[in-house]
Amino acid sequence: MSRSAAGPEIERLIQLLAKLPGLGPRSARRAALHLLTRKDKLLEPLSDAMRIACERVATCSVCANVDTQDPCAICRDAKRDASVIVVVEDVSDLWALERSGAVSARYHVLGGTLSPLDGRGPEDLNIGTLVDRAMAEEVTEVILAVNATVEGQTTAHYVTDALSETGVRVTRLAHGVPVGGELDYLDDGTLAAAIRSRTAF
Amino acid sequence: MSRSAAGPEIERLIQLLAKLPGLGPRSARRAALHLLTRKDKLLEPLSDAMRIACERVATCSVCANVDTQDPCAICRDAKRDASVIVVVEDVSDLWALERSGAVSARYHVLGGTLSPLDGRGPEDLNIGTLVDRAMAEEVTEVILAVNATVEGQTTAHYVTDALSETGVRVTRLAHGVPVGGELDYLDDGTLAAAIRSRTAF
């Protein structure tokens, strides 16, 4: 569109950087310039890191996490509780739960939510493999750690139905006041859920 | 710091992405995941574009622009006015002026501003090469297109002194009301400059 002083190689770099979440056309240009003026310190290492990630990182055939080994490090970890499977929508949710340190079980990444409007049906999610895993004798509980959105809850209901034959206990995350949250800023649904699920003090 | 589910290769990718301007640790993680789940469409092309940029892009020995050829495409362009040199602080300023389409001359990138506090003196900027270029017979004017900041103006004064022997005409960008700007939101300095430099209507 606009006249550009940069050659086609630099333009291509800018266009690809602009596809990253969080970077627009303007910040992509700034990022490209930042890279080009720091060739040895940043551009070359980043290019190498991307090539290595491209070659080695794969999707775990068990839980659909991304890792450099298959099955992934979490699925291989013998110290984790094999009786519980934590179901998440995306790998980013898996990473968030791992950072919290609250999970010592294994995961299962659905790869999204059901969304008829976007043409995403059950066959596009990793539900079949989840049912297969839940059939295993040692699995006793599946925790649905999906987002508290309409799509997430719809997906949770579908997954619960699919798991009904396996006989495992299906649980979901608690709704309530976030730690550090102020009541005045919370929506009615959250407050109602927090009252309903109140616990002894 | 925090426990991470990603392997060392992915962690390294996240750490390097976090060094890009506009991306923090959190958005770098999102960007890395975005890349890893779009290997063929984004990660591989971006890795290739970076490698190509790394191999081919160099600093122009004449004007210090970045390009895949040396001298750069602008310095080689015979259609450009060789009698004027537009002095900018950084390549990003050169790109901004090129996008505006207002310049049909050549550039000279200083590579920053004088900043004694940061230990950046005249010898760290491309001032010597500018004086050499201004000595050439065809050059009659140097436009100082530096930022209207204290550092930019200090640098402009220094460059003007350095150019005094060459006999070229040294000009600077006009100060005034930005096109589309509202007076009520402008600072006093800009308004005073706009009044001082008023033109016939």
Side-chain angles (χ1 to χ4, degrees), chain B residues 94-163:
Chain B
L94 186 160
W95 287 0
L97 286 168
E98 278 297 291
R99 283 198 301 280
S100 79
V103 174
S104 62
R106 302 214 171 110
Y107 294 89
H108 194 85
V109 181
L110 290 177
T113 50
L114 294 176
S115 179
L117 283 177
D118 300 327
R120 216 160 44 238
E123 65 284 357
D124 299 312
L125 304 183
N126 302 318
I127 295 177
T129 48
L130 172 65
V131 175
D132 291 346
R133 288 180 70 189
M135 292 284 197
E137 213 171 298
E138 71 262 30
V139 178
T140 56
E141 181 178 358
V142 168
I143 304 177
L144 298 176
V146 293
N147 291 331
T149 55
V150 174
E151 294 84 9
Q153 297 308 308
T154 311
T155 310
H157 281 291
Y158 187 91
V159 171
T160 309
D161 281 350
L163 288 170

Side-chain angles (χ1 to χ4, degrees), chain B:
Chain B
M1 314 270 246
S2 60
R3 219 173 94 176
S4 171
E9 292 89 351
I10 301 178
E11 274 304 315
R12 178 154 172 78
L13 180 62
I14 294 172
Q15 275 166 20
L16 287 167
L17 283 171
K19 290 188 185 170
L20 290 178
L23 289 183
R26 207 182 190 94
S27 48
R29 208 177 293 123
R30 209 167 63 232
L33 205 54
H34 190 89
L35 285 168
L36 290 171
T37 51
R38 283 159 192 82
K39 260 188 173 182
D40 296 340
K41 276 194 177 166
L42 192 53
L43 181 55
E44 209 173 338
L46 186 55
S47 168
D48 289 346
M50 283 189 178
R51 195 177 38 74
I52 291 170
C54 205
E55 284 165 6
R56 297 197 204 154
V57 175
T59 303
C60 173
S61 56
V62 178
C63 74
N65 182 18
V66 291
D67 199 3
T68 43
Q69 37 191 349
D70 182 16
C72 73
I74 294 175
C75 286
R76 279 164 186 258
D77 187 351
K79 277 181 256 158
R80 286 179 179 252
D81 184 357
S83 68
V84 179
I85 298 175
V86 181
V87 175
V88 292
E89 289 177 20
D90 286 307
V91 177
S92 56
D93 301 324
L94 186 160
W95 287 0
L97 286 168
E98 278 297 291
R99 283 198 301 280
S100 79
V103 174
S104 62
R106 302 214 171 110
Y107 294 89
H108 194 85
V109 181
L110 290 177
T113 50
L114 294 176
S115 179
L117 283 177
D118 300 327
R120 216 160 44 238
E123 65 284 357
D124 299 312
L125 304 183
N126 302 318
I127 295 177
T129 48
L130 172 65
V131 175
D132 291 346
R133 288 180 70 189
M135 292 284 197
E137 213 171 298
E138 71 262 30
V139 178
T140 56
E141 181 178 358
V142 168
I143 304 177
L144 298 176
V146 293
N147 291 331
T149 55
V150 174
E151 294 84 9
Q153 297 308 308
T154 311
T155 310
H157 281 291
Y158 187 91
V159 171
T160 309
D161 281 350
L163 288 170
S164 60
E165 300 164 16
T166 62
V168 295
R169 192 176 155 225
V170 180
T171 55
R172 63 165 192 178
L173 297 184
H175 286 310
V177 181
V179 176
E182 294 185 42
L183 297 195
D184 198 16
Y185 291 95
L186 284 174
D187 62 296
D188 300 346
T190 303
L191 285 175
I195 292 279
R196 264 201 312 275
S197 311
R198 64 194 176 279
T199 54
F201 191 69

Side-chain angles (χ1 to χ4, degrees), chain A residues 31 34-49, chain B residues 12-13 15-21 50 54:
Chain A
H34 190 89
L35 285 168
L36 291 171
T37 51
R38 283 158 191 82
K39 260 188 173 180
D40 296 340
K41 277 195 177 164
L42 191 52
L43 180 56
E44 210 173 335
L46 186 54
S47 168
D48 289 346
Chain B
R12 178 154 172 78
L13 180 62
Q15 275 166 20
L16 287 167
L17 283 171
K19 290 188 185 170
L20 290 178
M50 283 189 178
C54 205

Side-chain angles (χ1 to χ4, degrees), chain A residues 53 56-72 91 109 111 126, chain B residues 10 36-39:
Chain A
R56 298 198 203 152
V57 175
T59 304
C60 173
S61 56
V62 178
C63 73
N65 183 18
V66 291
D67 200 2
T68 42
Q69 39 191 351
D70 182 16
C72 74
V91 176
V109 181
N126 302 318
Chain B
I10 301 178
L36 290 171
T37 51
R38 283 159 192 82
K39 260 188 173 182

Side-chain angles (χ1 to χ4, degrees), chain A:
Chain A
M1 312 270 247
S2 60
R3 219 173 94 177
S4 172
E9 293 87 350
I10 300 177
E11 274 303 315
R12 180 156 171 76
L13 180 62
I14 294 172
Q15 276 167 20
L16 287 167
L17 282 171
K19 290 187 185 170
L20 290 179
L23 288 183
R26 207 183 190 91
S27 46
R29 208 178 293 122
R30 210 168 62 233
L33 205 54
H34 190 89
L35 285 168
L36 291 171
T37 51
R38 283 158 191 82
K39 260 188 173 180
D40 296 340
K41 277 195 177 164
L42 191 52
L43 180 56
E44 210 173 335
L46 186 54
S47 168
D48 289 346
M50 284 189 178
R51 196 178 38 72
I52 291 171
C54 206
E55 284 165 7
R56 298 198 203 152
V57 175
T59 304
C60 173
S61 56
V62 178
C63 73
N65 183 18
V66 291
D67 200 2
T68 42
Q69 39 191 351
D70 182 16
C72 74
I74 294 176
C75 285
R76 280 165 186 258
D77 188 350
K79 275 181 256 158
R80 285 179 181 252
D81 184 357
S83 68
V84 179
I85 298 175
V86 181
V87 175
V88 292
E89 289 177 20
D90 286 307
V91 176
S92 56
D93 302 324
L94 186 159
W95 287 1
L97 286 169
E98 278 298 291
R99 282 198 302 279
S100 79
V103 174
S104 62
R106 303 212 171 112
Y107 294 90
H108 194 85
V109 181
L110 290 178
T113 50
L114 294 177
S115 178
L117 283 176
D118 300 328
R120 215 161 45 237
E123 65 283 357
D124 299 313
L125 303 182
N126 302 318
I127 295 176
T129 47
L130 173 64
V131 175
D132 290 346
R133 287 181 71 189
M135 292 283 198
E137 211 171 301
E138 71 264 29
V139 178
T140 56
E141 182 178 357
V142 168
I143 304 176
L144 298 176
V146 293
N147 291 332
T149 55
V150 174
E151 293 83 8
Q153 297 307 308
T154 309
T155 310
H157 280 292
Y158 187 92
V159 171
T160 308
D161 282 348
L163 288 171
S164 59
E165 301 165 14
T166 63
V168 295
R169 190 173 158 228
V170 180
T171 55
R172 63 165 193 179
L173 296 184
H175 286 310
V177 181
V179 176
E182 294 186 42
L183 297 194
D184 198 17
Y185 291 95
L186 284 175
D187 63 295
D188 300 345
T190 303
L191 285 176
I195 292 280
R196 265 201 312 276
S197 310
R198 64 193 177 279
T199 53
F201 192 69

